Amino acid sequence: MSTADEMEPISRPFRWNLLFAAWLMASVATLGALFFSEVMQRTPCVLCWYQRIFMFPLVFVLGAGLLPFDPRSVRYALPLAVTGWGFALYHCLLYMGFIPKSLQPCTQGLSCADVKLELFSFVTIPLLSLLAFTLIIALLWAVRKGIKQ
């Protein structure tokens, strides 16, 4: 068994894999959002648009950091992911009723608090967004810190 002093940072190829996983998650989330709006004809609410504003550029920022591998791309991607996570958390809390509907930004058109789609009777679109941002943040944090093995 090794001590903390003997531990080394994770290898460069493993960090590339982590960054690739974050890019893949951002790509799947982007394609999912486009599928919901363009194929299923579900018009996004205001909070969904804000989450898209922070998710869609992650595909390009993380993709640019992959080839050639540049772990410094995390410094540009992490603020996007954290801000998107904040909007997703607010949207989830609004959906669940923890935030009063009077505080929702959707004053005209679609309501941000209306349940438009539920999978397995509890997984909503804002929850999917929150999970995607959470996973991306965790992966980016691992790349940034070079978590020790």
Side-chain angles (χ1 to χ4, degrees):
M1 208 157 156
S2 62
T3 64
D5 295 334
E6 297 171 353
M7 292 183 185
E8 296 179 16
I10 57 177
S11 67
R12 184 176 175 95
F14 189 68
R15 290 173 75 192
W16 186 91
N17 289 340
L18 292 172
L19 192 62
F20 176 76
W23 172 82
L24 190 61
M25 186 73 245
S27 298
V28 168
T30 297
L31 291 173
L34 292 173
F35 176 79
F36 285 138
S37 63
E38 300 302 321
V39 176
M40 294 183 66
Q41 300 297 312
R42 302 226 180 246
T43 305
C45 68
V46 171
L47 286 174
C48 288
W49 277 115
Y50 286 130
Q51 291 166 61
R52 287 173 175 218
I53 288 169
F54 294 100
M55 180 64 75
F56 289 8
L58 285 174
V59 175
F60 300 105
V61 172
L62 295 173
L66 287 172
L67 298 170
F69 176 62
D70 184 6
R72 293 177 299 166
S73 63
V74 171
R75 82 171 64 165
Y76 306 110
L78 202 53
L80 286 170
V82 169
T83 307
W85 182 87
F87 280 107
L89 178 65
Y90 184 82
H91 199 178
C92 282
L93 293 174
L94 187 65
Y95 240 56
M96 293 181 220
F98 291 110
I99 296 175
K101 288 188 179 186
S102 61
L103 293 178
Q104 70 178 333
C106 310
T107 55
Q108 296 178 355
L110 294 173
S111 172
C112 293
D114 289 344
V115 176
K116 296 171 193 73
L117 178 71
E118 280 189 334
L119 305 169
F120 309 114
S121 69
F122 75 95
V123 179
T124 60
I125 294 173
L127 182 60
L128 289 172
S129 178
L130 183 67
L131 293 174
F133 278 118
T134 301
L135 182 59
I136 290 168
I137 291 168
L139 291 166
L140 293 176
W141 192 259
V143 171
R144 182 174 180 240
K145 288 296 181 184
I147 293 176
K148 306 200 186 239
Q149 296 179 354

